[in-house]
Amino acid sequence: MMKTSLIAIVGATVALTGAAQAGEMTYGSAELSYYNNDDTDVVRLQGDIDYIVNKFAFTGTAKAIDYDGDDAYTLNGTAGYEFTPGFTGYVKLAAYDFNSGDTEYTYGLGVDYIGNAFGVALEYTTVDGEDFETYNLNGYYDFGASTVFGSYVSLDSDFSLYSLGYDFDVDAFGLTAATTFSEDGIDHGVSSFAGTYQFGNFGVKANVLTGNHNLFDTGYYGIAGTYAVNDRITVEAGYDTTYGDVSDMDLFSLKLSFEMGGDRARVTDRVSDLFDKARSPVLNSVGLDLYDPIYGPSLALGF
């Protein structure tokens, strides 16, 4: 299954890249990461691409995860048209394939507005063959070196998730904080904090993941070193462990990433990338973001 998933991702990336030659590719990235936790091996592969053709904007994301022999992948994309400056309507399509071998599909509609300092998006998603719908509101606002961002998700009108975050990025220093909680209150959620410092081609990252009901008393913390091969390729190695009243865990991670281009075409992707800056490697190691196209950008699911 993983081999099939990789072929699907490569094929989608090649197709999108070819199409991008007819317009302007505004963003592209690829990431291969490996996690080891108590003899459990996890391999993740993800690719993203945005391109613009006149007033049309297309985005695509492909993910594949091998969780200790169990494989899953997701492919999703959007196609949109800019009706007036900054205002874009688009359609969404996603496909998921888990170890069962059955492929599930989701469809949706969305609308973006991107201004000089802020962006907001509203999305609707439904699962094919299921009586299940979600609404997702995402937004951000830039002021100087700071950005505030957030996401609200209504799951089939029965349950709601809220996510809020703050990002500060200047010169060689960066700091991102984010929290996700349910409609039951902020105590029913998790928060994550991440800081980075860059010196030349080298960098250091530190992160903390903790429950909101016992903030900083229990959770996970980690540190990683990075090396920028050039302005597009980065290598990262990290270690995370537990503290407080959590079962002992030691997580080792390796990551190779490639990134080019500027701002993402979709507000939802911009907000998701901001949450990812705070996201703990502990969450990446269990693949909790496979359903992002349904639930929208958030710090974590399953808290």
Side-chain angles (χ1 to χ4, degrees):
M1 180 71 71
M2 187 65 172
K3 181 178 179 180
T4 303
S5 303
L6 296 180
I7 293 174
I9 287 180
V10 172
T13 303
V14 170
L16 288 170
T17 303
Q21 294 176 357
E24 178 187 2
M25 186 168 73
T26 60
Y27 181 84
S29 68
E31 181 177 290
L32 176 64
S33 52
Y34 167 77
Y35 303 88
N36 176 267
N37 171 26
D38 297 331
D39 298 325
T40 298
D41 297 308
V42 180
V43 179
R44 293 171 53 99
L45 176 63
Q46 176 173 341
D48 299 271
I49 190 169
D50 298 352
Y51 67 92
I52 308 295
V53 181
N54 298 321
K55 290 184 176 295
F56 292 93
F58 303 87
T59 72
T61 296
K63 301 178 185 180
I65 298 177
D66 184 324
Y67 186 81
D68 210 30
D70 292 328
D71 304 324
Y73 77 82
T74 176
L75 298 170
N76 65 83
T78 71
Y81 181 80
E82 186 179 32
F83 294 97
T84 62
F87 183 86
T88 301
Y90 55 92
V91 295
K92 303 168 52 185
L93 171 64
Y96 306 86
D97 196 322
F98 298 96
N99 211 42
S100 62
D102 296 328
T103 302
E104 300 178 8
Y105 298 93
T106 68
Y107 311 92
L109 299 171
V111 60
D112 269 344
Y113 180 78
I114 300 177
N116 292 330
F118 73 96
V120 62
L122 176 64
E123 293 187 348
Y124 164 81
T125 305
T126 183
V127 180
D128 184 41
E130 303 288 341
D131 185 19
F132 187 85
E133 300 175 320
T134 70
Y135 294 89
N136 190 342
L137 179 65
N138 307 298
Y140 68 87
Y141 179 75
D142 295 323
F143 52 101
S146 298
T147 303
V148 292
F149 51 96
S151 175
Y152 163 74
V153 186
S154 173
L155 303 177
D156 211 29
S157 300
D158 292 329
F159 189 71
S160 297
L161 286 174
Y162 304 85
S163 299
L164 300 171
Y166 169 77
D167 179 67
F168 178 80
D169 194 347
V170 59
D171 298 329
F173 176 75
L175 176 65
T176 309
T179 184
T180 293
F181 52 94
S182 75
E183 60 187 15
D184 295 325
I186 196 168
D187 284 347
H188 296 265
V190 293
S191 293
S192 188
F193 306 85
T196 61
Y197 183 75
Q198 198 75 22
F199 44 98
N201 286 13
F202 294 92
V204 61
K205 301 170 63 176
N207 72 89
V208 175
L209 174 65
T210 179
N212 289 348
H213 66 287
N214 53 1
L215 200 64
F216 299 120
D217 288 338
T218 300
Y220 307 84
Y221 67 90
I223 190 167
T226 63
Y227 176 73
V229 179
N230 51 43
D231 59 353
R232 295 184 176 182
I233 299 175
T234 303
V235 181
E236 179 180 319
Y239 169 75
D240 290 80
T241 189
T242 57
Y243 69 93
D245 189 20
V246 179
S247 300
D248 290 341
M249 182 209 70
D250 293 300
L251 178 70
F252 300 90
S253 59
L254 294 172
K255 183 187 301 183
L256 176 65
S257 58
F258 166 87
E259 185 175 35
M260 61 170 290
D263 292 331
R264 305 297 303 272
R266 296 278 176 265
V267 170
T268 297
D269 289 326
R270 296 188 186 190
V271 173
S272 183
D273 288 347
L274 286 166
F275 278 112
D276 281 346
K277 293 179 69 173
R279 188 179 178 90
S280 168
V282 173
L283 301 177
N284 288 338
S285 69
V286 294
L288 289 175
D289 60 346
L290 271 179
Y291 276 113
D292 270 359
I294 299 178
Y295 297 109
S298 61
L299 177 64
L301 304 174
F303 48 79

